[in-house]
Amino acid sequence: MATTLFYILALVAVISTLLCITRRNPVHAVIFLVHTLFALALIFYLLGAPLVAVWEVIIYAGAIMVLFMFIIMMLELAPTGAGEGIGGHHWLSVLLLSLAILGCSVGILTLDPGHSANLPDFYATPAQFGYALFHHYPLAVELVSFQLLFAAVGAFYVGRSTPTREGAP
Amino acid sequence: MIVPIGHVLLLALILLLLGIACVLARRTLIMMLIGVEIMINAAGLVAVAGSALHRQLDGQILAVFLMAMTAAEVAISLAMVVYLRRRKGTIIADAFDGMKG
């Protein structure tokens, strides 16, 4: 059952990502990316990470994608004009490069004898997760909090309403 | 869950390549940022799959740190998108060639 679910969700993730990167309208791209994130969150749950799955939905789909949507609507980027297409002249070279990398990586993956090892049944309760996080990585948690603070200060500095020019007070 | 680790890695690889294709082929800054998001999610999928494979929690913790990093990165990047739009009136990446790179 879980195996079938995994393959369905993987298909959903790949198809919605494909639709996401080919949309002309960035709002539609963000909506398809949210579909990808939901599918990935369910895959995380199947892989035994319920807390990461929930945070994927809350933080990624709930906060970050809403931030994207907010900026797109604030800058009135949708719908883009005719001159701002999806950049057709690069797609062929990008497709060839991606297929080459995909082929080489699949080759390496099949050479590796460990690739067919089945994932064991694993489930980390939020209590185990929280204990591991705060018991083994307390310094990293503090560093992440500093990182978020610096990001907030940096975003405030870059996005302030009157950019100062050179020589201006 | 009876899935070979190779299939999970293949899914992450496909998502990563789609993200790279998005960054390389699209022309607006917003779509390039969305490509970066896709790539970071693929990396998080590998971390969680490794966590399940080795029955250790470190991979899941790495995935959570990736989320925090993405939140910080997106905040600054979108602020820069707003700033660049205000300076040049467009967000097409070709417009920002002031350094003649």
Side-chain angles (χ1 to χ4, degrees), chain A residues 153-165 169, chain B residues 79-80 82-83 86:
Chain A
V153 173
F156 180 73
Y157 178 74
V158 173
R160 69 200 188 285
S161 57
T162 54
T164 52
R165 299 292 171 81
Chain B
M80 286 198 69
V82 173
Y83 173 74
R86 201 183 287 141

Side-chain angles (χ1 to χ4, degrees), chain A residues 47-105:
Chain A
L47 289 172
L51 203 60
V52 181
V54 168
W55 282 351
E56 177 96 359
V57 173
I58 293 177
I59 296 179
Y60 261 113
I64 296 179
M65 289 303 121
V66 169
L67 196 60
F68 266 96
M69 197 72 94
F70 175 69
I71 294 294
I72 288 170
M73 290 182 171
M74 194 181 89
L75 297 181
E76 295 175 357
L77 300 179
T80 54
E84 306 175 11
I86 59 176
H89 55 291
H90 283 315
W91 282 105
L92 184 64
S93 52
V94 167
L95 186 69
L96 288 178
L97 279 174
S98 299
L99 283 181
I101 298 175
L102 184 67
C104 294
S105 308

Side-chain angles (χ1 to χ4, degrees), chain B residues 1 14 20 29 33 43 46 51-52 54 56 65 67 73 76 91 94:
Chain B
M1 186 169 80
I14 291 172
I20 291 176
L29 295 176
L33 278 178
V46 174
S51 170
H54 296 288
Q56 297 287 325
F65 284 155
M67 274 182 209
E73 173 243 331
I76 290 199
I91 59 159
D94 295 339

Side-chain angles (χ1 to χ4, degrees), chain B:
Chain B
M1 186 169 80
I2 316 296
V3 170
I5 180 70
H7 292 182
V8 184
L9 290 180
L10 188 65
L11 171 64
L13 179 68
I14 291 172
L15 288 182
L16 184 84
L17 285 175
L18 287 175
I20 291 176
C22 188
V23 172
L24 286 179
R26 296 303 296 256
R27 295 169 65 209
T28 59
L29 295 176
I30 288 278
M31 288 310 294
M32 291 165 80
L33 278 178
I34 286 178
V36 172
E37 294 303 305
I38 297 170
M39 284 196 274
I40 292 177
N41 270 293
L45 177 61
V46 174
V48 173
S51 170
L53 180 66
H54 296 288
R55 294 177 166 277
Q56 297 287 325
L57 277 166
D58 303 294
Q60 297 186 12
I61 291 170
L62 177 65
V64 169
F65 284 155
L66 271 177
M67 274 182 209
M69 189 206 72
T70 311
E73 173 243 331
V74 161
I76 290 199
S77 315
L78 288 177
M80 286 198 69
V81 168
V82 173
Y83 173 74
L84 293 172
R85 159 82 178 216
R86 201 183 287 141
R87 266 188 58 188
K88 293 258 185 173
T90 180
I91 59 159
I92 293 187
D94 295 339
F96 307 104
D97 54 356
M99 292 182 74
K100 308 291 180 199

